């Protein structure tokens, strides 16, 4: 079982093996303004995979700062977590935790899509990037996007994409993302 050990020695189930994060090659990235890194995101701040117990650390409350989340009970959260985890090599949900407060303060998801094209290659999609309002401006969003992007590269994705609002394009361009010539289409079945 993929797990992280808490201060009291309890093993918490993680959505993916966190040793994957140690395999990322960070030498291609510039230093952050405030000297944070994936290994040292700040005093009491930890970057890691989503844990089964993160519902209690406010994971869903954080997502509500990004979009409508609907009614999600702890039971529903745990069911979805286990279902996502049961799809190996697909869902890589990253979180940033303020361990001093026991609170999830940032998250993003890398979804790896298995393809038949390009010799059965993989394609990455980055989704649901959000940092808690109280922690914005500390480059934690940059850390999340850098980590997800480099993780996609480590997982041999032939490309990685993301969707964003027009006012966020400049931010994502700093990572090397560029608007594509293709039109993105969407059909929503509910609001």
């Amino acid at each position: 079982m993929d797990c992280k050990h808490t201060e009291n020695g309890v093993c918490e189930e993680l959505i993916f093996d966190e040793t994957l994060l140690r395999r990322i090659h960070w030498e291609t990235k510039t230093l952050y303004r405030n000297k944070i890194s994936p290994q040292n995101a700040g005093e009491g701040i930890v970057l890691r995979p989503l844990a089964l117990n993160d519902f209690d650390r406010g994971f869903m409350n954080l997502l509500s700062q990004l979009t409508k989340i609907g009614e999600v009970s702890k039971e529903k959260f745990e069911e979805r977590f286990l279902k996502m985890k049961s799809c190996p090599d697909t869902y890589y949900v990253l979180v940033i935790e303020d361990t001093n407060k026991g609170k999830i303060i940032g998250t993003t998801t890398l979804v790896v899509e298995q393809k038949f094209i390009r010799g059965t290659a993989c394609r990455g999609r980055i989704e649901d990037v959000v940092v808690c309002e109280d922690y914005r401006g500390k480059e934690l969003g940059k850390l999340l996007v850098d980590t997800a992007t480099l993780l996609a590269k480590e997982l041999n994705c032939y490309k990685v994409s993301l969707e964003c609002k027009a006012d966020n394009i400049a931010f994502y361009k700093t990572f090397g993302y560029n608007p594509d010539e293709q039109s993105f289409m969407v059909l929503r079945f509910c609001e």
Side-chain angles (χ1 to χ4, degrees):
M1 174 173 63
D2 301 318
C3 70
K4 81 175 189 95
H5 293 280
T6 62
E7 290 177 11
N8 59 5
V10 174
C11 178
E12 286 192 51
E13 188 169 357
L14 299 175
I15 200 156
F16 69 91
D17 183 357
E18 72 181 321
T19 61
L20 247 142
L21 297 177
R22 293 193 285 273
R23 293 185 358 214
I24 293 176
H25 298 285
W26 282 91
E27 59 275 358
T28 60
K29 291 294 170 186
T30 58
L31 292 176
Y32 290 81
R33 178 178 69 239
N34 55 7
K35 307 272 193 269
I36 65 169
S37 70
Q39 297 78 19
N40 182 16
E43 180 67 34
I45 307 295
V46 177
L47 172 70
R48 61 170 175 78
L50 179 71
L52 186 60
N53 293 340
D54 283 340
F55 182 90
D56 295 330
R57 294 184 184 99
F59 179 75
M60 296 306 299
N61 291 335
L62 175 65
L63 284 178
S64 73
Q65 293 182 28
L66 177 68
T67 190
K68 296 176 187 175
I69 60 168
E71 295 296 320
V72 181
S73 65
K74 184 174 183 176
E75 181 181 83
K76 277 184 161 180
F77 171 85
E78 290 173 352
E79 285 174 16
R80 180 52 43 111
F81 177 99
L82 294 171
K83 188 170 188 174
M84 291 169 78
K85 184 174 176 147
S86 73
C87 301
D89 307 321
T90 304
Y91 295 101
Y92 299 88
V93 184
L94 298 162
V95 296
I96 297 177
E97 179 185 1
D98 181 336
T99 59
N100 295 325
K101 295 182 178 180
K103 178 180 177 181
I104 301 302
I105 59 169
T107 188
T108 192
T109 300
L110 169 66
V111 180
V112 176
E113 180 183 355
Q114 310 295 317
K115 306 291 274 183
F116 286 106
I117 63 174
R118 297 182 179 258
T120 65
C122 295
R123 172 187 190 247
R125 284 192 336 265
I126 294 176
E127 300 185 350
D128 304 334
V129 181
V130 63
V131 173
C132 180
E133 292 169 343
D134 299 338
Y135 291 82
R136 292 182 188 162
K138 300 175 189 278
E139 296 196 301
L140 297 175
K142 181 179 178 181
L143 180 63
L144 286 164
V145 174
D146 270 342
T147 303
T149 301
L150 290 172
L151 182 56
K153 185 176 181 181
E154 177 66 29
L155 296 169
N156 297 313
C157 293
Y158 77 92
K159 75 177 179 179
V160 63
S161 62
L162 54 84
E163 302 162 24
C164 70
K165 295 179 181 172
D167 56 343
N168 290 332
I169 290 174
F171 172 72
Y172 290 110
K173 278 187 168 185
T174 65
F175 302 95
Y177 290 90
N178 289 299
D180 199 348
E181 297 295 320
Q182 299 173 354
S183 295
F184 177 76
M185 308 293 286
V186 66
L187 172 63
R188 294 189 186 271
F189 294 107
C190 61
E191 280 303 307

